[in-house]
Amino acid sequence: MQKKGVAILGSTGSIGTQALEVIQTYPEKFDLQVITAQSNSKLLIEQAKKFQPNAVVIGDEGKYQEVKDALFSEDIHVYAGSQALCQVVEFHEVDVVLTALVGYAGLKPTLAAIEAGKDIALANKETLVVAGELVTQRARAKGINIYPVDSEHSAIFQCLVGEFHNPIEKIYLTASGGPFRGWKADALKSVTPAQALKHPNWSMGAKITIDSASMMNKGLEVIEAKWLFGLKAEQIDVIVHPQSIVHSLVQFQDGCMKAQMGLPDMKLPIQFALTYPDRLKTEFPRFNFLDYPQLTFEKADAGTFRNLQLAYDALEKGGTAACALNAANEISVQLFLEEKIGFLDIARINESVMLQAPFISSPGYEDYVGTDLLARELANNLSFIK
């Protein structure tokens, strides 16, 4: 593969830091051009000094001077603010943009990167959840590839290599079940943020870990899968697989199924998205069947974990429904982390916002922006109602 210029949006988060490990392993394959952070200036400065990118962006403009002063003696351009995120992805030297920002914040710079003709390594599922139709339309129009980084969608993508001409009958997204697998509503009432942040298999940021515990993460992945692979809701199923070895499956129209398997390690799908179609040799631990004599599967409990059903409802409704759901969830998760609401209130608020937010069936970009703002306001107001 030719050396690729890479921009990492969200380099201080879980995905971003692991992406830097991948880039460090293959210096002859990657040329790090841009790294960004919203507020973690300390780690951003450390990363910049170590990896020497062309440019850094700190989203929090109040920390611009701190970053600029710290990198004064380095040959690194320093920018600040959300608009700068959209500008740095346009750099001529950038070939691929890894969008690892958290939540809705990833939409605008991802669209900017597409307009600039850059391929996308997508770790920010909310971009497709919020505005999947708009994003995929623009990517097709510009001839841009979107390579999934989520382990489940990477698994589907890997299963489809060599099969793109064959229609998909169904896909199965696997879920670990999170820390509360098998729990019922009565037990979930008293769940604390500390309990919800203890994922059994994956090490992730706080937002996605809470989403995993509430099954919203899997719901968002269902919506993302629709846009990535051109599927209908009835073609996407979720199955609980506690061992997290089978990362997802594809079923074709002849009944044949393909699965992608391996030990849970996000560096593998990150690397595959950055190097496709090549597979580079790694020193990652290898899966041993004898260490896992049983791989088990269960039906997802969408009755108890209401967020999963809400995602299917939003997918069926279309328009701005998923945008409103995502915005509500970002607010309700933060409120839960701040211990201002209970665990079950996350789904309660999300459902109420979906019902109350104005619905636009054929939205443009500004409609998504307006829906996101209104849904956040509704979610905050609903947090006071028990």
Side-chain angles (χ1 to χ4, degrees), residues 103-150:
Y104 173 83
L107 175 59
K108 191 174 181 181
T110 300
L111 286 171
I114 290 171
E115 289 304 310
K118 314 299 184 182
D119 283 338
I120 306 297
L122 188 66
N124 172 253
K125 63 176 66 66
E126 291 88 349
T127 289
L128 291 183
V129 170
V130 169
E133 186 172 11
L134 177 66
V135 172
T136 52
Q137 281 178 350
R138 292 192 181 180
R140 281 194 300 270
K142 298 288 290 188
I144 297 303
N145 296 307
I146 299 178
Y147 299 114
V149 171
D150 270 348

Side-chain angles (χ1 to χ4, degrees), residues 261-298:
M261 302 171 62
L263 295 172
D265 187 337
M266 279 306 301
K267 289 194 290 293
L268 197 151
I270 292 168
Q271 180 171 311
F272 191 71
L274 292 176
T275 64
Y276 178 81
D278 297 326
R279 290 186 182 271
L280 304 185
K281 181 174 175 57
T282 74
E283 300 302 323
F284 301 159
R286 271 32 180 182
F287 171 72
N288 184 341
F289 278 95
L290 299 183
D291 292 334
Y292 293 83
Q294 286 189 322
L295 298 179
T296 60
F297 303 89
E298 307 164 10

